[in-house]
Amino acid sequence: MSDAAAPRGSNEARDELLRRVRAGLADRPAVAAIPRTYRRLTEPGTDVTALFAERVSEYQATVQRTTAGDLPGAVAGILAARGVRRLVVPQGIPDAWLAGSDVERLGDDPPLASSALDQVDGVITGCAVAIAGTGTIVLDGGPGQGRRALSLLPDYHLCVVEADRIVGTVPEALALLRPTRPLTWISGPSATSDIELNRIEGVHGPRTLDVVIIEPPAQA
């Protein structure tokens, strides 16, 4: 066997292959930089609150817009209409949000067992950010949101969204979020479809989602 035909180590073979590739590409023109001019900001003049409410409604969620002063009454009315009697309330939820409600409030410290979460009537949370363009609510486990299981196991979720947390686009939302946080992205009630496109709700999260948007008081 000649030296040219002798087997070589894997590193030698790799280096030889790369040498040939580089030689073959030596006379090729340089590749121009690929433009990445994605739209990152909301179009001027967009009412992100109105757009968010519209998009959330399209996901078969119920949306109500109110002010901070009227929020307790709005929350109490929604919970009564849904027949909620036992509600999980994560740490950080302001007492004022439930001032008008007589529901039994369940804390999550120490953490409730999964079986207990499955038996409650629902959960109330705030959110980290909301995206108008997609009608998406993002939770990151911060104050007033609790751990992920709280918004995944109960069959009902009432989410209170402060208007100043609503942005127009996904890139705007990503700029405000920390990727190391436990992010939960919610676009309407949990649902899926089978091969015949029959919609089934409540498969891997709440079957029912109500959203209350807190808007600033109207200017006099």
Side-chain angles (χ1 to χ4, degrees), residues 68-76 79 87-107 124-126 143-144 158 160 162 214:
D70 293 331
L71 178 66
V75 168
L79 295 178
L87 186 72
V88 178
V89 182
Q91 288 186 342
I93 292 289
D95 291 336
W97 287 10
L98 293 164
S101 307
D102 59 356
V103 296
E104 179 185 353
R105 308 178 191 182
L106 303 176
I124 183 172
T125 73
L158 172 58
V160 178
E162 297 165 278
I214 307 177

Side-chain angles (χ1 to χ4, degrees), residues 88-90 93 97 123-127 137 139 143-147 150-151 157-161 186:
V88 178
V89 182
I93 292 289
W97 287 10
V123 61
I124 183 172
T125 73
C127 73
I137 296 163
L139 310 183
Q145 301 167 58
R147 56 195 174 101
L150 299 188
S151 59
H157 183 188
L158 172 58
C159 186
V160 178
V161 178
I186 302 169

Side-chain angles (χ1 to χ4, degrees), residues 112-218:
L112 295 168
S114 296
S115 57
L117 288 175
D118 192 46
Q119 296 299 316
V120 300
D121 294 323
V123 61
I124 183 172
T125 73
C127 73
V129 67
I131 307 170
T134 60
T136 301
I137 296 163
V138 185
L139 310 183
D140 70 354
Q145 301 167 58
R147 56 195 174 101
R148 296 192 69 198
L150 299 188
S151 59
L152 294 176
L153 293 181
D155 202 45
Y156 171 69
H157 183 188
L158 172 58
C159 186
V160 178
V161 178
E162 297 165 278
D164 60 3
R165 294 183 181 270
I166 303 175
V167 298
T169 66
V170 172
E172 287 178 277
L174 290 174
L176 299 174
L177 296 168
R178 292 170 54 192
T180 55
R181 301 287 297 175
L183 302 179
T184 303
W185 297 63
I186 302 169
S187 297
S190 167
T192 189
S193 297
D194 60 20
I195 195 170
E196 296 180 349
L197 300 183
N198 295 315
R199 180 182 173 90
I200 303 173
E201 297 181 349
V203 176
H204 44 264
R207 190 187 314 272
T208 305
L209 173 67
D210 286 332
V211 177
V212 179
I213 302 172
I214 307 177
E215 300 185 290

Side-chain angles (χ1 to χ4, degrees), residues 60-76:
Q60 301 184 26
T62 300
V63 183
Q64 185 169 335
R65 300 168 66 171
T66 188
T67 62
D70 293 331
L71 178 66
V75 168

